[in-house]
Amino acid sequence: MKIAYRLITLALLTFAASPSFAACTYATVQGKWSVTYADFDSNIGYSTYGIARATFEPATRKVSLLGGKESAFGQVASGTGSGSYTINSACQGVITLTFGVGGPAVRFDFVVSGTADSPRINFIISEPTNALSGQGFMQKIEL
C-alpha cells in the first residue's frame, strides 16, 4: 500500500512540476548546467555528495559531465562522464551516463521544471548500478 501511495505521490509531483512553457524538445535542455547530487552506495554503506557541470547537445542527443567532484569522509574524487538522453513533450526524460573510461552505465530519470527563462532539471538514479540510489538537480547556467 505504501509503495502505491508513493508512486501516486511521485506522479502528482511530476505533473505539478511541469514547466510553464508549452512543450519540451531536445533544445529545451540545450547548453550548460550546474549539477548537485547525493547518492548512497549500499555495497560500501555510505553516501557521497557531488557537483559537476553538464552539457546537453540536442543535435546529437549527447550529454557530457565535466569537472565532477565527489566527497565522502573528507576525501574528494574527480571524474567525468558521457552518454545520451531522451526527452518527451511532457518534459520527462532519461539520461544514460557512463563514468570514466569503461565505467558503469547509470540511468537517471528526470523532469524539467521552472520556466523557459529559468529551467531546472530534477533527477533520480532509476536503474541502480552497483547498488546506487540517489537524487539531484541541475540549474541552467550561461557561463
Side-chain angles (χ1 to χ4, degrees):
M1 181 70 166
K2 284 184 179 181
I3 292 174
Y5 174 75
R6 288 181 183 159
L7 289 174
I8 290 169
T9 302
L10 179 61
L12 290 173
L13 288 173
T14 300
F15 179 75
S18 294
S20 61
F21 37 99
C24 286
T25 67
Y26 283 89
T28 303
V29 296
Q30 176 178 344
K32 298 175 185 172
W33 298 74
S34 65
V35 182
T36 303
Y37 67 92
D39 61 31
F40 179 78
D41 187 334
S42 62
N43 285 332
I44 53 180
Y46 64 83
S47 295
T48 59
Y49 305 91
I51 57 172
R53 175 177 278 175
T55 302
F56 289 83
E57 300 172 14
T60 59
R61 299 181 180 174
K62 299 291 183 194
V63 60
S64 301
L65 194 65
L66 305 169
K69 299 282 185 185
E70 187 171 85
S71 70
F73 301 109
Q75 302 296 314
V76 177
S78 299
T80 61
S82 62
S84 60
Y85 73 100
T86 61
I87 187 169
N88 63 26
S89 61
C91 301
Q92 299 170 343
V94 174
I95 299 168
T96 303
L97 281 176
T98 300
F99 294 95
V101 177
V106 180
R107 175 188 162 128
F108 301 86
D109 280 315
F110 70 89
V111 62
V112 180
S113 61
T115 65
D117 293 331
S118 184
R120 177 179 163 127
I121 296 174
N122 295 292
F123 64 87
I124 60 169
I125 298 173
S126 53
E127 216 172 84
T129 299
N130 297 328
L132 287 176
S133 61
Q135 64 182 3
F137 68 91
M138 299 183 206
Q139 187 69 44
K140 186 97 182 228
I141 57 175
E142 297 298 328
L143 302 175

